[in-house]
Amino acid sequence: MSYTIKEMSELTGLPTSTLRYYDKQGLLPSLRRDYNNNRIFSDEDYQTLRLINCLKKSGLSIRDIQDYMNMAKIGDEALEGRREIFHRRRELLKEEMRNLQDVLSVIEYKCWYYDKACEEGTESAVKDIPLSEVPEEFRRARELLRGTLTE
């Protein structure tokens, strides 16, 4: 199927200016043009745009995505390089997810903390509560906050 730039913009949620920019950066190697030089997007371009969006969300720069696209053009000779990009991204994302999990744990602990303080009518009811009295699911977060976590 073929799409105009406006249709592809609506389909992907990307502004037309971004689609033009990606084209100029060489990120859409199969993009065609009609007799008026208008961009004509295909289902393959749509899939490429979805991959680009995923790679951007994963933290890759446009330059890194260009490198990946250049490797993709090379074909099988660049399989190892392309595989390495995804393995590296996966490890970086896993680390980021672990860090975000710690952040979420602290937020959840603070929700419990303030819920309990409001329930008791005073923060002093929970401020110095012994770790053994903190619900198990919040202990790690409290230790993270106090800098007493030993791993």
Side-chain angles (χ1 to χ4, degrees):
M1 191 161 176
S2 296
Y3 307 90
T4 65
I5 195 167
K6 183 178 184 225
E7 291 169 331
M8 188 55 70
S9 174
E10 291 170 358
L11 192 59
T12 61
L14 295 169
T16 57
S17 59
T18 299
L19 296 174
R20 287 186 192 94
Y21 175 73
Y22 287 172
D23 179 28
K24 288 178 185 172
Q25 296 302 311
L27 301 181
L28 300 167
S30 67
L31 187 65
R32 295 180 296 117
R33 302 235 179 202
D34 68 11
Y35 58 91
N36 287 324
N37 206 31
N38 294 316
R39 292 168 178 89
I40 302 297
F41 293 83
S42 65
D43 290 330
E44 183 180 346
D45 296 318
Y46 174 68
Q47 291 172 5
T48 300
L49 287 165
R50 293 194 46 115
L51 177 60
I52 291 167
N53 190 43
C54 177
L55 293 173
K56 282 191 56 116
K57 285 180 179 179
S58 81
L60 277 183
S61 68
I62 291 295
R63 179 72 195 137
D64 291 336
I65 296 170
Q66 285 172 324
D67 290 345
Y68 168 78
M69 296 307 255
N70 289 333
M71 284 190 249
K73 285 181 203 172
I74 293 170
D76 288 348
E77 292 175 27
L79 279 174
E80 288 292 329
R82 288 184 280 164
R83 180 176 75 163
E84 183 59 32
I85 287 171
F86 284 95
H87 279 266
R88 243 188 345 254
R89 279 281 92 181
R90 179 178 61 188
E91 292 311 308
L92 290 169
L93 287 171
K94 284 180 176 180
E95 179 64 26
E96 188 175 328
M97 289 172 69
R98 283 188 292 271
N99 291 337
L100 284 172
Q101 187 57 53
D102 284 345
V103 170
L104 179 59
S105 294
V106 168
I107 297 299
E108 287 176 340
Y109 165 70
K110 286 308 230 177
C111 286
W112 168 82
Y113 178 96
Y114 286 111
D115 286 348
K116 187 84 169 154
C118 287
E119 184 181 296
E120 297 292 329
T122 179
E123 187 175 359
S124 62
V126 287
K127 188 173 186 175
D128 295 317
I129 190 171
L131 185 61
S132 62
E133 293 180 32
V134 173
E136 180 70 35
E137 67 265 29
F138 304 125
R139 290 179 187 170
R140 184 173 192 283
R142 184 172 124 173
E143 288 181 299
L144 279 170
L145 281 173
R146 293 192 175 184
T148 56
L149 183 66
T150 55
E151 295 189 63

